[in-house]
Amino acid sequence: MNVAVAFNRVPPTLFKGEAADRISEEGAEEEALAVRQALVSLGHAAPLIPLGHDIKAFLETLQTTGTDLVFNLCEGFWGNSRLEGHVAALFDLCGLAFTGSSPLCLGFTQDKARTKDLLVRHGLPTPLSILVNPGEPFPGHPALTYPLIVKPRFEDASLGITEESVVTEAPALGQRIRYIHDTYRQGALVEEFIDGREFNAAVLGNGPMEVLPLSEIQFQSTLKHAIVSYDGKWRENSPAYLGTEPICPAPLPSGEEALVKDVALRAYQLLECRDYARVDIRLRDGIPYILEVNANPDISPGAGLARAAGVAGIGYTKLIERILNLAMNRKELQHAKS
């Protein structure tokens, strides 16, 4: 089978964010190379097809290579992560089957504020928060007390998250809100800071679905705040990275493990994620608070989802095969209905 491995390139100059954000943006190509190697070992043709600024050229390449299915690793378009769902919609419009979640799901989960609204409406726990759009002052909330954490509304990969993201007083809060507005050109999500244990719950499948072994992020006491900052996720020689260690499987009593997995699975189903996703959760006083639902997480061999799959006995090549088969089954079902 001919499986096109699609990933997004990064423009020479980012139109928002910090210059160092390129580290995570450029990781898409390394991820694509690993997926391609796994697909080739499974006997598939797997051309790498990068998405740059020229959409027409990208589509022409997909068509001329005789693509049977797209392995979609695109996390945005030309430096704009808000267009992640648009890329998947492009595949839909062209009649190309692809791995991963739908355009609607990708667009929705990219918006942290709307995701939280939906979680709350369906009784799923998530930290109390308020959105401050550019040009607006922080309105305050009687139940929202310090410490707080300030995040960009639309980013993932810990973009915009530093030690200064956690604030304990009004001047620092105002400064951080302005930073998000000015640097990332989007709303700032001001959220209750949950001081608890942090877990990544990877989910695989479409029905039945499987929550893979939980991974805990263990924070060293040397860190100013127990958070997964951008440095902690991407800058391997930084103190933040060295002080942030994933442990899989997580040492957790069976009852709490079942609770965290249940909440992760319910969020996955509610947002209609497909094939695979990762739900980030903090556990405090027996309550698993959903921090984020990532419907298009990194699936590089060293990333959290692949690590959890490995603990479950699913090697990297087998993981890529599972994801590919899930998308192929969907393609065959759609053809049967048409």
Side-chain angles (χ1 to χ4, degrees):
M1 186 165 60
N2 192 333
V3 184
V5 182
F7 66 97
N8 53 288
R9 289 206 187 278
V10 187
T13 303
L14 298 176
F15 78 95
K16 62 177 175 58
E18 301 281 4
D21 291 350
R22 297 186 65 88
I23 299 172
S24 60
E25 298 279 0
E26 291 173 346
E29 186 164 1
E30 296 179 12
E31 179 186 21
L33 287 168
V35 170
R36 179 187 182 277
Q37 183 176 351
L39 289 169
V40 170
S41 71
L42 291 167
H44 301 292
L48 291 178
I49 303 184
L51 171 61
H53 65 91
D54 191 337
I55 296 176
K56 181 180 178 181
F58 175 69
L59 290 176
E60 287 177 347
T61 303
L62 284 173
Q63 291 166 350
T64 57
T65 54
T67 301
D68 296 308
L69 184 139
V70 178
F71 208 109
N72 181 26
L73 303 175
C74 295
E75 299 177 355
F77 172 69
W78 206 233
N80 189 348
S81 57
R82 290 184 64 179
L83 299 180
E84 179 180 42
H86 293 60
V87 179
L90 193 65
F91 298 144
D92 263 346
L93 287 170
C94 294
L96 293 168
F98 59 93
T99 61
S101 290
S102 70
L104 178 62
C105 175
L106 292 171
F108 208 99
T109 54
Q110 190 72 33
D111 187 337
K112 292 182 175 66
R114 292 293 166 261
T115 296
K116 289 171 71 69
D117 286 346
L118 190 61
L119 293 173
V120 169
R121 287 176 182 273
H122 287 263
L124 289 171
T126 186
L128 182 66
S129 67
I130 192 165
L131 178 65
V132 186
N133 287 312
E136 296 179 354
F138 176 63
H141 191 294
L144 203 56
T145 58
Y146 296 104
L148 303 170
I149 183 167
V150 186
K151 306 173 180 178
R153 176 180 181 177
F154 294 109
E155 305 298 336
D156 54 19
S158 290
L159 289 168
I161 306 297
T162 71
E163 289 183 345
E164 287 71 37
S165 297
V166 180
V167 298
T168 57
E169 57 184 6
L173 173 61
Q175 183 179 11
R176 197 63 193 177
I177 291 172
R178 287 191 296 273
Y179 168 78
I180 298 299
H181 290 172
D182 295 343
T183 306
Y184 287 91
R185 305 182 183 183
Q186 60 191 268
L189 189 67
V190 180
E191 186 178 82
E192 171 192 10
F193 180 71
I194 302 297
D195 187 11
R197 298 173 67 182
E198 183 160 336
F199 301 95
N200 298 149
V203 185
L204 188 62
N206 296 321
M209 302 163 192
E210 175 184 3
V211 184
L212 300 175
L214 299 177
S215 179
E216 180 174 7
I217 308 299
Q218 293 195 343
F219 302 102
Q220 301 299 317
S221 59
T222 53
L223 296 176
K224 182 178 179 181
H225 298 293
I227 59 171
V228 182
S229 65
Y230 185 81
D231 284 358
K233 185 171 285 188
W234 298 104
R235 292 186 162 182
E236 296 185 4
N237 295 320
S238 70
Y241 188 94
L242 297 174
T244 307
E245 182 182 6
I247 303 296
C248 188
L252 195 63
S254 58
E256 291 186 335
E257 178 185 1
L259 183 63
V260 171
K261 286 185 172 182
D262 176 66
V263 165
L265 185 58
R266 288 164 63 194
Y268 183 95
Q269 293 171 315
L270 173 65
L271 290 158
E272 298 184 357
C273 298
R274 291 192 320 206
D275 301 347
Y276 63 98
R278 191 191 73 237
V279 183
D280 299 335
I281 290 173
R282 281 217 169 187
L283 184 65
R284 183 184 69 182
D285 299 331
I287 300 174
Y289 293 90
I290 300 170
L291 304 182
E292 183 174 355
V293 179
N294 191 334
N296 187 15
D298 187 353
I299 54 170
S300 301
L305 194 143
R307 184 185 307 114
V311 172
I314 307 169
Y316 189 71
T317 299
K318 189 67 176 178
L319 171 65
I320 299 305
E321 184 179 34
R322 286 269 296 266
I323 294 171
L324 179 66
N325 288 340
L326 288 166
M328 282 301 302
N329 290 341
R330 183 165 56 249
K331 177 183 177 181
E332 292 168 1
L333 181 61
Q334 289 171 344
H335 282 180
K337 290 180 177 179
S338 61

